[in-house]
Amino acid sequence: MSTAIVLGGASGIGAAVVRALRQQGDGVLVADHNVRGGKALVDEQLPGRAEFFDCDLATADGPALAVEAAIRFGGGKLHTLFYNAGILTAKPLAEWTLADWDRSTAVNLRGAFLAAQAAAEPLRASGRGRIIVTASTGALRGHAGMPAYHATKAGLLGLVRALADELAPGGTTVNAICPGWIDTPFNDTFWEHQTNPKEALASLVSRIPLGRQGAPLDVAGAVLFLASPAAAYITGQSLVIDGGYTAV
Ligand code: NAI
């Protein structure tokens, strides 16, 4: 049995990954500040054990405390770290405050660094450590009003390459996933602000070659693959999961 930590695992993509890991019998510690969602998720009846850890990943000590809880949960062992927490702030450049910028960078980028730092040794000791972070196709492009989102998601790709190099001698692989449009509560604010949400969605879907938004499960499959022995020779990479949106 493997032990995993999913940081930002209480809803959406993270919750789908938690369920998929538990389905294959893995133990999962879910670290999130969404207490209600996280507790309900770990109470689901699935083969793998699960525990919830309430933490704010925007704080300086939150990510490491979560990793420590996962190591305790795994009886000293940790095989997979999935850093999936992310927030999206969108507003005109002139309205951005230092606090907006700092919160986005803390949750989206600094938290991944701090969690990886805390987990590096137990992952090495497992002999088959895996770090996977959720970037975004937003790492590859940029849109008005979202400077911190694009900067942090692109930053994660640099972080992954640097950690892949440093942790390779210990057998730990480090990769990113770049989801495109995935149907989760994350995009609710975006859709609410469209003058005609139905039309906007139809227009988006018409530009996705596979003809639909992704589902959290579409992303979970890629994470399970990167966490599996089949991906042992893949490191420092990013995998786009977007129905072909950025390919055309
Ligand atoms: P979500 O909002 O359902 O999941 C984000 C999770 O992170 C939530 O459980 C939330 O409570 C947690 N979180 C946020 N801030 C936190 C904090 N300070 N401390 C602890 N937990 C915190 O949204 P979704 O879509 O599942 O997003 C997951 C990741 O996927 C994010 O990193 C997002 O940027 C990324 N992504 C999402 C896309 C989409 O279209 N839904 C597209 C590309 C990337």
Side-chain angles (χ1 to χ4, degrees), residues 31 34 39 42 50 65 70 102 107 123 147 163 168 191 247:
N34 173 356
K39 284 192 169 163
V42 301
L65 289 173
D102 285 349
V107 178
L123 289 172
L163 294 179
W191 294 115

Side-chain angles (χ1 to χ4, degrees), residues 7-15 31-35 54-59 82-88 103 106-108 134-138 149 153 156 177-187 213-214 216 219:
L7 301 110
S11 77
I13 293 168
D32 207 293
H33 64 175
N34 173 356
V35 178
D54 177 10
C55 70
D56 181 357
L57 296 166
T59 60
F82 178 42
Y83 192 91
N84 175 69
I87 52 170
L88 171 61
R103 183 151 185 95
V107 178
N108 294 6
T134 305
S136 165
T137 49
Y149 191 73
K153 294 299 185 178
L156 283 172
I177 52 162
C178 293
W181 283 91
I182 310 299
D183 192 8
T184 73
F186 194 78
N187 295 321
Q213 282 194 88
V219 183

Side-chain angles (χ1 to χ4, degrees), residues 113-129:
F113 164 72
L114 293 171
Q117 188 181 41
E121 178 48 32
L123 289 172
R124 187 205 59 73
S126 80
R128 51 186 167 98

Side-chain angles (χ1 to χ4, degrees), residues 205-212 242-248:
V205 165
S206 74
R207 283 174 282 133
I208 300 175
L210 286 177
R212 62 174 175 89
D242 70 350
Y245 188 60
T246 53
V248 296

Side-chain angles (χ1 to χ4, degrees), residues 193-215:
H193 282 86
Q194 301 302 305
T195 347
N196 187 333
K198 262 194 175 168
E199 245 175 44
L201 178 61
S203 153
L204 167 74
V205 165
S206 74
R207 283 174 282 133
I208 300 175
L210 286 177
R212 62 174 175 89
Q213 282 194 88

Side-chain angles (χ1 to χ4, degrees), residues 101-112:
W101 177 266
D102 285 349
R103 183 151 185 95
S104 287
T105 53
V107 178
N108 294 6
L109 183 57
R110 188 181 70 180

